[in-house]
C-alpha cells in the first residue's frame, strides 16, 4: 500500500495486491445496464460458495492483501458477513464490496 497524497491522508490500494471474487450471480434489481446471465442452479451456487472459501488461503499465498467482493450484487449472498469474517481471520487487510447498495439499509444484513 502507498499513501496517495500526504495532504489528504487517503490510502490507495495497489491494484496488483487486489483480487476479485464472485460470490453470487444473483441480483434482484434487474437494472437495465447489467448483463444478467441465466439463473444458477442450487448445485452451481453451492460449488461457487465452496470455491470462494477454498480460495481464501490461495489469496494469501499469492500475496493479495485486498479482496474485492463482486458479482451481480454480493449483498444478495446470504453468507456475506460470515465470508468477510473468514477473510479477516485469514489476514486479508482490505475488503472492497461492489454493490448497488440497495440492501445496505436492511437491518437483517447487519446481524
Amino acid at each position: 500500500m502507498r499513501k496517495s497524497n500526504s495532504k489528504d491522508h487517503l490510502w490507495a490500494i495497489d491494484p496488483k495486491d487486489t483480487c476479485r471474487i464472485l460470490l453470487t450471480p444473483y441480483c434482484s434489481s434487474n437494472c437495465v445496464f447489467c448483463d444478467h446471465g441465466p439463473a444458477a442452479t442450487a448445485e452451481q451456487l453451492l460449488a461457487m460458495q465452496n470455491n470462494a472459501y477454498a480460495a481464501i488461503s490461495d489469496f494469501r499465498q499469492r500475496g493479495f492483501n485486498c479482496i474485492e467482493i463482486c458479482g451481480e450484487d454480493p449483498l444478495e449472498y446470504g453468507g456475506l458477513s460470515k465470508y468477510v469474517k473468514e477473510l479477516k481471520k485469514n489476514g486479508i487487510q482490505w475488503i472492497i464490496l461492489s454493490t448497488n447498495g440497495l440492501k445496505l439499509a436492511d437491518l437483517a444484513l447487519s446481524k
Side-chain angles (χ1 to χ4, degrees), residues 53 56-57 59-61 64 83-93:
Y53 276 92
I56 293 174
S57 62
F59 295 152
R60 290 302 296 144
Q61 288 174 358
F64 292 112
Y83 190 73
V84 168
K85 287 176 187 173
E86 194 67 22
L87 288 171
K88 296 301 274 183
K89 184 173 109 179
N90 283 276
I92 301 298
Q93 296 173 336

Side-chain angles (χ1 to χ4, degrees), residues 89-103:
K89 184 173 109 179
N90 283 276
I92 301 298
Q93 296 173 336
W94 298 91
I95 299 169
I96 299 169
L97 186 64
S98 295
T99 175
N100 61 26
L102 295 175
K103 290 239 177 215

Side-chain angles (χ1 to χ4, degrees), residues 16-52:
K16 73 179 183 336
D17 295 333
T18 303
C19 183
R20 288 182 167 179
I21 184 88
L22 175 85
L23 285 183
T24 181
Y26 179 74
C27 178
S28 60
S29 296
N30 291 322
C31 298
V32 295
F33 52 82
C34 284
D35 182 25
H36 295 283
T41 66
E43 293 83 19
Q44 290 170 325
L45 290 173
L46 181 61
M48 286 180 74
Q49 178 180 345
N50 290 338
N51 290 339

